[in-house]
Amino acid sequence: MSTIRVTDEVKERLRDLKRDDESFNDLLDRLSRSEKDVEAIAESLPSVDEKDIEEMDEARKRLNESLEDRR
């Protein structure tokens, strides 16, 4: 078992994030795994090239225009 020193401000923010049934250890474990899980998911996605970005941008513009037409 280790001790980690944090400021009172950080402890309050962590307390706000902590679920009722969690210890601070459980909270830190959950938070540290979540970031790694997101990184793993991101690494498994296909890379996006400039053409894909342009197509997504055009699709977004068309969607915004169609929503404006509904007003």
Side-chain angles (χ1 to χ4, degrees), residues 33-56:
R33 276 186 288 108
S34 298
E35 185 174 320
K36 290 178 184 176
D37 292 345
V38 169
E39 288 175 1
I41 291 168
E43 290 172 0
S44 70
L45 296 173
S47 53
V48 178
D49 61 19
E50 190 65 32
K51 181 182 175 197
D52 294 328
I53 294 170
E54 289 172 9
E55 289 174 359
M56 287 185 279

Side-chain angles (χ1 to χ4, degrees), residues 14-61:
L14 290 171
R15 185 173 298 148
D16 291 341
L17 293 171
K18 192 171 83 58
R19 297 173 181 160
D20 290 339
D21 62 339
E22 270 183 325
S23 66
F24 279 103
N25 186 77
D26 294 338
L27 167 68
L28 293 171
D29 182 52
R30 176 172 55 87
L31 293 175
S32 65
R33 276 186 288 108
S34 298
E35 185 174 320
K36 290 178 184 176
D37 292 345
V38 169
E39 288 175 1
I41 291 168
E43 290 172 0
S44 70
L45 296 173
S47 53
V48 178
D49 61 19
E50 190 65 32
K51 181 182 175 197
D52 294 328
I53 294 170
E54 289 172 9
E55 289 174 359
M56 287 185 279
D57 192 40
E58 286 301 316
R60 180 189 52 79
K61 287 177 185 176

